[in-house]
Amino acid sequence: FFYGMGGGNAQKSAQKRERNAQKKAKDAKRGQGAAKSAADRTAVQCMICRATFMRNSTDQVLQGHLESKHAGQAFDRAFPGRGAGATAAAPAPAPAAATYKPDKPVKEKKKKHKRKG
């Protein structure tokens, strides 16, 4: 009779299942971020050649593309909804000036004397 032997792996298996579930949830969250960045990467598209630009591309970058690739074409034709003719979003309000505590006075450090020995 060997009553003290064994123990099984039920606890180990349960821990492993829990760890894998947490890892899957973490990977799913990363996947959402990747999808969002892919959408941002292709947010602005040239309607003439279908080249894509990042969402935060400036009109100067887009104008440079237009001049180098499609000389003589209108900006509004290549990038409808962008540029001077488009309605610009309201500018962000300027942040309020931060109020900080006044600086503490600087204390003079005591000079250390080397002992002669």
Side-chain angles (χ1 to χ4, degrees), residues 94-114:
T99 55
Y100 297 106
K101 293 180 183 177
D103 292 337
K104 292 181 180 178
V106 179
K107 295 180 183 177
E108 288 188 32
K109 293 184 178 180
K110 294 180 182 177
K111 292 185 179 179
K112 295 184 179 178
H113 298 286
K114 291 185 180 178

Side-chain angles (χ1 to χ4, degrees), residues 50-66:
R50 301 293 186 200
T52 57
F53 298 90
M54 291 287 288
R55 179 180 303 277
N56 59 355
S57 296
T58 62
D59 288 343
Q60 292 172 343
V61 171
L62 301 177
Q63 185 68 39
H65 167 78
L66 190 67

Side-chain angles (χ1 to χ4, degrees), residues 21-35:
Q22 288 174 350
K23 187 177 177 184
K24 239 182 191 178
K26 196 177 202 181
D27 289 344
K29 190 181 279 188
R30 281 192 192 130
Q32 291 171 352

